[in-house]
Amino acid sequence: MIKDFNFYTPTRVVFGREAEGKIGQLVKDNGGKRVLLHYGGGSAERSGLLDVVRHQLEQAGIAWCELGGVVPNPLLSKVREGIELCRREQVDFILAVGGGSVIDSSKAIGYGVPYAGDVWDFWDGKGVPAACLPIGVVLTIPAAGSEMSSSCVITRDEGLLKRGVNSDLCRCRFAVMNPERTYTLPPYQTAAGATDIMMHTMERYFSKYEDMTLTDALSEALLRTVRDAALVVLEHPEDYRHRAQIMWASSLAHNDLTECGTEKDFATHKLEHELSALFGVTHGAGLAALWPSWARYVMDRHLSRFVQFAVNVMGVANDFAHPDETAERGIRAIESFYRQIGMPTNIHELLGREITDAEIDTLVDKCSRGGKLKIGAMEVLDAADMRAIYQMAR
Ligand code: NZQ
Ligand code: ZN
């Protein structure tokens, strides 16, 4: 069966070595007159990118104010600071320079500025965004795919609640992507980014809708491309060709292209968000620590999908007489890929210590919202399933 779909991807992508020369014009074309320049903890300043962006705004005659200091797994407190600043300065456009964390912080500020209530209402289920300031992105890390996604993931400082909100209103007007800007990424972030990109594809590929062969083919090509390119750039960080493949894949993996005719599962993502909220770990690394356990937990009931993944993506020889063996070899193959790129394959490797029973209780309680919420689509998981997967992954 092919699932009906509604594909909307309004983000203009300006890609390549010369892309940054278009920033001023892009902001102007999108109506930006008073801009918030939003960025992270220092990498964009150190690389000189922020100066390039400031020069672009100056040349285009655009006024701006700045707010840096967004941390990975971005915090609500910074969002509140941004909302106040934007109101005070009458900002009409947000320019995010960074990765998923800066983009999501920008999206949340964009929701908050025109909203009379408390911005956390949107993550708390008490309100639905009705408007968002326009946002543009200068991407520095291919990973989260937020540059083209409808998603915005924020952590509330009190209680470390990490949650996502989806709406087309926050989709970026444009994304400027120069693969050269990713040369400075630490190997761990490169590897975690590649893992996240692959997971955005896998969380749609592992679906009970199996008839959309075009989407499958796109997904499989994307997965093989990112896997191979990650191995190359970890050896050769300034390899433009392979950095470019990864950067473009980051957007295609999460702009819903690989969901056409299938369905988002995202159980591993939901389980991971609790890990990165509680322990502050890198999102992609958290996914690598959990996915093999999720896969083994659900595999028996979806064997043909796991066999297809093993054969078409991981290059495993198909043992037709023993599909369960073929499927298991596919999972083992991705575990050995994770090890090769320096990613963990369980929570112990992720944290560098054993997780306690009490910590697992907390993860389950938060992920299931006190036992009330189920997650997943190919396989719907309740609190007992979540506990079993965390236990397998410990
Ligand atoms: O803060 P700075 O100094 O810039 O350093 C960052 C940060 O420490 C660094 N970095 C970024 N570009 C760099 C660089 N260092 C050197 N050179 C560069 N060119 O990398 C670190 C990680 O940055 P971050 O923005 O946190 O990475 P990522 O893009 O992986 O974003 C992660 C966040 O996005 C969320 C994750 O949960 C996490 O909070 N996600 C957002 C999604 C969405 N909105 O669609 C979907 C994802 O599934 C994910 O949940
Ligand atoms: Zn992700």
Side-chain angles (χ1 to χ4, degrees):
M1 196 179 150
I2 293 174
K3 190 170 185 287
D4 293 351
F5 60 89
N6 181 334
F7 180 56
Y8 176 64
T9 182
T11 307
R12 175 182 297 282
V13 173
V14 181
F15 193 99
R17 289 188 165 98
E18 308 299 325
E20 286 141 21
K22 312 252 175 17
I23 294 169
Q25 192 60 46
L26 284 164
V27 174
K28 236 181 186 171
D29 291 349
N30 284 283
K33 294 190 181 65
R34 296 178 68 81
V35 169
L36 171 69
L37 184 53
H38 201 31
Y39 47 88
S43 73
E45 193 78 82
R46 283 194 300 277
S47 71
L49 176 60
L50 274 176
D51 278 339
V52 171
V53 176
R54 290 181 186 116
H55 184 68
Q56 277 287 313
L57 294 175
E58 205 170 274
Q59 292 281 301
I62 296 164
W64 80 91
C65 57
E66 300 193 9
L67 182 63
V70 177
V71 293
N73 307 313
L75 294 171
L76 180 63
S77 49
K78 180 61 74 177
V79 170
R80 294 197 197 287
E81 207 183 320
I83 293 169
E84 269 180 39
L85 177 63
C86 285
R87 287 185 179 150
R88 203 163 59 235
E89 298 290 330
Q90 297 180 312
V91 162
D92 56 15
F93 191 92
I94 304 176
L95 186 56
V97 180
S101 297
V102 176
I103 303 169
D104 286 2
S105 185
S106 301
K107 289 175 173 178
I109 294 169
Y111 284 145
V113 171
Y115 182 61
D118 177 10
V119 69
W120 185 251
D121 286 353
F122 303 134
W123 285 266
D124 215 14
K126 291 185 186 145
V128 176
C132 185
L133 284 183
I135 297 163
V137 178
V138 182
L139 189 66
T140 64
I141 170 171
S146 184
E147 66 276 8
M148 284 183 95
S149 82
S150 63
S151 165
C152 173
V153 185
I154 295 294
T155 300
R156 193 184 75 180
D157 313 48
E158 313 88 66
L160 295 175
L161 297 183
K162 182 171 183 176
R163 294 185 181 169
V165 162
N166 281 73
S167 159
D168 284 330
L169 293 167
C170 76
R171 289 200 193 250
C172 297
R173 300 296 170 98
F174 64 80
V176 168
M177 300 189 211
N178 177 357
E180 289 176 330
R181 291 292 171 189
T182 67
Y183 293 173
T184 52
L185 279 170
Y188 193 78
Q189 288 298 333
T190 296
T195 303
D196 194 18
I197 294 166
M198 292 177 73
M199 280 302 309
H200 293 153
T201 311
M202 286 151 67
E203 295 255 45
R204 293 162 163 108
Y205 180 83
F206 286 94
S207 160
K208 55 183 181 290
Y209 297 90
E210 297 190 344
D211 291 344
M212 194 72 177
T213 51
L214 173 60
T215 296
D216 273 0
L218 291 168
S219 299
E220 289 164 1
L222 194 153
L223 289 167
R224 289 190 303 262
T225 302
V226 174
R227 178 199 58 197
D228 296 347
L231 293 171
V232 174
V233 300
L234 285 169
E235 283 290 313
H236 306 285
E238 305 203 354
D239 183 314
Y240 182 88
R241 190 169 146 225
H242 292 93
R243 286 287 190 190
Q245 320 292 327
I246 298 175
M247 200 167 207
W248 184 217
S250 146
S251 304
L252 295 187
H254 206 25
N255 74 351
D256 302 336
L257 176 67
T258 59
E259 194 179 319
C260 295
T262 79
E263 186 182 27
K264 255 199 207 86
D265 183 274
F266 271 63
T268 309
H269 263 76
K270 295 269 166 56
L271 293 166
E272 193 295 317
H273 281 165
E274 302 309 336
L275 282 181
S276 45
L278 196 60
F279 301 113
V281 295
T282 301
H283 168 62
L287 294 170
L290 291 173
W291 190 80
S293 296
W294 171 85
R296 292 193 174 99
Y297 191 72
V298 304
M299 179 175 88
D300 288 351
R301 293 175 294 285
H302 308 275
L303 218 43
S304 65
R305 266 283 109 171
F306 281 90
V307 167
Q308 187 177 327
F309 173 77
V311 173
N312 291 0
V313 178
M314 300 314 293
V316 169
N318 200 343
D319 179 350
F320 291 96
H322 304 102
D324 50 337
E325 266 300 307
T326 308
E328 171 60 28
R329 280 194 207 115
I331 298 169
R332 269 188 238 143
I334 205 157
E335 284 176 322
S336 97
F337 167 71
Y338 289 153
R339 283 189 205 103
Q340 242 181 313
I341 62 172
M343 285 288 104
T345 58
N346 57 49
I347 298 173
H348 196 142
E349 288 170 11
L350 175 73
L351 301 180
R353 66 162 174 89
E354 197 167 337
I355 187 168
T356 65
D357 289 336
E359 285 167 337
I360 291 184
D361 288 346
T362 303
L363 295 172
V364 173
D365 188 57
K366 287 171 83 181
C367 195
S368 68
R369 308 255 171 111
K372 292 195 284 290
L373 195 75
K374 293 183 179 171
I375 59 170
M378 182 175 88
E379 190 74 23
V380 176
L381 307 173
D382 63 16
D385 300 313
M386 296 174 202
R387 180 178 304 282
I389 293 170
Y390 284 129
Q391 289 285 6
M392 281 171 76
R394 74 189 301 174

